[in-house]
Amino acid sequence: MLNPVRYIGENFLRWCHDIGGLVMMMGKVFINFAPWKLDKPQIWRNMYRVGVKSFPIVVVTALLTGAIMVIQSGLYIEQYGAHGLLGWGAGYSVLREVGPIMIGLMFSGRVGANNTAELGTMKVTEQVDALRALAIDPISYLVMPRVIAMIVMMFLLVIVGDFTALLGGAVTSQVLLGVDMKLFAWSIVTYIELGDFTHGLWKAVAFGYAIAIISCHFGMNTSGGAVGVGRAVNASVVGSAIAIFVLDYFITFMVL
């Protein structure tokens, strides 16, 4: 049986190592943010790979999420006859919370995990060391295009996801609840403020940055061959999910 003190100590040291590594990665990214250091063709390629290929799954997921939000709230709307508030209820929840969190978790599972696996494979096969041998900085060549692409595309995907979720909610309210789509749209335009929309966009930028830093950190510090790549991907997905909820808590608290 593993000594509990030893188990706690090992996990504490592992957490300290990861937190220190994340701080180091943020510092390296900040230093390399100068425009003349950025590889623009690599950034465009990563934006296509990260964002455009995620577009179909974001649209499908957002449509269903908006529909579910309306179905869940439809019972109470029918009970109190407050049909004019259906659009406001769905829009407020989607724009401020459900949209950014839902897309953030999906983004970390698809893009973040893939990013860690790619960088981890390059690390264990010594391709990263080969870049250093050729005097090419791996942070500038591999990490920076991914970080910028993930922040920009997370921002754009949340905008697309928000409007798609509202469309799914409007169609569901018309078809299943008999609430006119015009009344649904009127409720959103009347009661939803611009701040509700920008609130979610701030979260999108923060989530994109966190997922990028975490996935790149675990990818660039992978060791132990194929098994190590699997462990790194798992740690990246778990760390990103925790970061999303922690950031959501603090941003919600600060922007209220």
Side-chain angles (χ1 to χ4, degrees):
M1 182 176 177
L2 188 64
N3 187 330
V5 177
R6 180 182 173 185
Y7 177 78
I8 294 171
E10 286 181 350
N11 278 282
F12 177 75
L13 290 176
R14 190 177 302 118
W15 274 83
C16 290
H17 176 267
D18 287 334
I19 291 172
L22 289 170
V23 173
M24 291 288 291
M25 180 61 73
M26 285 190 284
K28 292 175 182 176
V29 167
F30 179 76
I31 292 171
N32 283 274
F33 240 112
W36 60 87
K37 291 184 177 180
L38 300 178
D39 188 338
K40 293 182 178 57
Q42 279 287 356
I43 293 174
W44 283 110
R45 275 194 287 273
N46 277 280
M47 287 175 70
Y48 172 78
R49 187 171 56 86
V50 165
V52 177
K53 291 190 173 181
S54 300
F55 182 80
I57 192 171
V58 166
V59 169
V60 173
T61 309
L63 271 173
L64 294 174
T65 302
I68 293 168
M69 293 291 297
V70 168
I71 292 171
Q72 290 283 358
S73 55
L75 177 64
Y76 301 99
I77 294 295
E78 288 288 340
Q79 184 176 353
Y80 295 103
H83 298 98
L85 296 178
L86 183 58
W88 168 77
Y92 189 85
S93 303
V94 166
L95 296 179
R96 294 181 73 96
E97 293 295 337
V98 178
I101 290 179
M102 182 259 310
I103 295 173
L105 292 174
M106 192 195 60
F107 197 77
S108 70
R110 183 191 178 277
V111 177
N114 184 58
N115 190 39
T116 302
E118 281 186 358
L119 292 175
T121 303
M122 294 181 70
K123 181 70 167 50
V124 298
T125 55
E126 300 183 350
Q127 294 180 56
V128 176
D129 294 331
L131 288 175
R132 290 196 179 96
L134 295 171
I136 298 174
D137 180 14
I139 299 297
S140 178
Y141 185 70
L142 295 176
V143 173
M144 290 306 299
R146 286 171 165 80
V147 170
I148 294 174
M150 291 172 77
I151 294 173
V152 172
M153 297 315 295
M154 180 68 193
F155 180 84
L156 297 177
L157 287 174
V158 166
I159 294 176
V160 172
D162 284 347
F163 284 101
T164 308
L166 294 179
L167 177 63
V171 173
T172 304
S173 70
Q174 175 81 60
V175 175
L176 294 185
L177 303 179
V179 178
D180 193 84
M181 290 177 66
K182 292 179 181 177
L183 179 61
F184 187 91
W186 172 85
S187 179
I188 292 175
V189 173
T190 303
Y191 296 115
I192 297 294
E193 299 178 355
L194 181 62
D196 298 323
F197 180 57
T198 56
H199 183 96
L201 296 183
W202 282 113
K203 291 182 179 179
V205 173
F207 295 169
Y209 179 73
I211 295 168
I213 293 295
I214 291 171
S215 63
C216 288
H217 160 70
F218 283 108
M220 295 295 286
N221 289 280
T222 302
S223 61
V227 176
V229 174
R231 282 199 300 264
V233 171
N234 182 60
S236 171
V237 173
V238 173
S240 297
I242 294 172
I244 286 172
F245 285 104
V246 171
L247 287 171
D248 183 67
Y249 174 83
F250 283 107
I251 294 174
T252 301
F253 178 75
M254 289 188 295
V255 186
L256 273 178

